[in-house]
Amino acid sequence: MISVVGPTAAGKSDLAVDLALRLGGEAVNTDSMQLYRGMDIGTAKLTVAERRGVPHHLLDVWDVTEPASVAEYQRRAHEVIAEVRGRGRVPVLVGGSGLYVRAALDDLDFPGTDPGIRARLEAELAEQGSGALFARLKEADPEAAQAILPSNGRRIVRALEVIELTGRPFTASLPQHRYRDPETVQLGLLVPRPELDERIALRVDRMWEAGFVAEVAALEEAGLRAGRTASAALGYAQVLRFLAGEWSEEQAREETVRATRRFARRQESWFRRDARIHWLPYDAPDLLERALDRCGSGSGAPAARRLP
């Protein structure tokens, strides 16, 4: 099993398709926002043509009004991976949502929930906003705060709930990195930060050119604002503020670039902690061959390059 990870705009989707074509594989999504139907332009979801005949799984699973559930995603991912293998194909997981990657790859059980604690925290979120709860999380578990967007109220609530339930930091509830299948290989795409910042700005420009504002407007009519998870997605949250008259369109565009760059740094921080990842330069002319070599080297091989 192969997993392609790294920050947004690094080129993960294209490499995953290349690997699937060479190895007889099928792609399995590990991007939390590509699970939502209709969220296409803003999540850089590959078009059917760009998938080049490679089957893609766990795209367009949820309506934008549904809250995300990592535990539900994990159940579905395990089922899909088993089905792909049952066809004699290679699962090629691709996406940059760190917790979803671990849910699919690792021997990972999620702590339970307490309806009373959850309801109280959600009431506080509604009254105080995500910023106040994020500040609390940052004090209680700085490592978890590094991996969660300050605007993602639902994930902040979940982290605080686990902390209160277990009496330990949210990240302490995650076990040591241990693959469910020892034949797993993770490939990470390494992009120098100045280049990554440029790629993110270019991606946002292309999103706008492709009709991103119209996509968000259509999803708003479908109930996007009521979706606690989807409405907080990068770009979508910013355009919703433009559509509400709070920001100008240019401000929404600039804020999307800034928020995406901050998110990319959180992704780097998350993946940096996983020493099992084989890091490869995103722009290597022989990237596919290097990746294939790593896939053949087995998961016990030393990492190609650690994140600086």
Side-chain angles (χ1 to χ4, degrees), residues 213-227:
V213 172
E215 176 177 282
V216 179
L219 290 171
E220 182 183 23
E221 293 186 4
L224 176 61
R225 287 188 186 276

Side-chain angles (χ1 to χ4, degrees), residues 246-279:
E246 299 175 29
W247 285 350
S248 68
E249 183 173 356
E250 185 57 31
Q251 186 176 4
R253 188 169 177 159
E254 291 173 355
E255 290 296 333
T256 297
V257 172
R258 278 194 282 269
T260 305
R261 287 173 174 167
R262 288 194 297 268
F263 177 63
R265 282 143 179 72
R266 287 188 170 87
Q267 289 176 301
E268 290 176 337
S269 176
W270 175 279
F271 290 119
R272 184 184 294 120
R273 296 193 293 271
D274 192 341
R276 302 169 299 177
I277 297 173
H278 305 295
W279 289 101

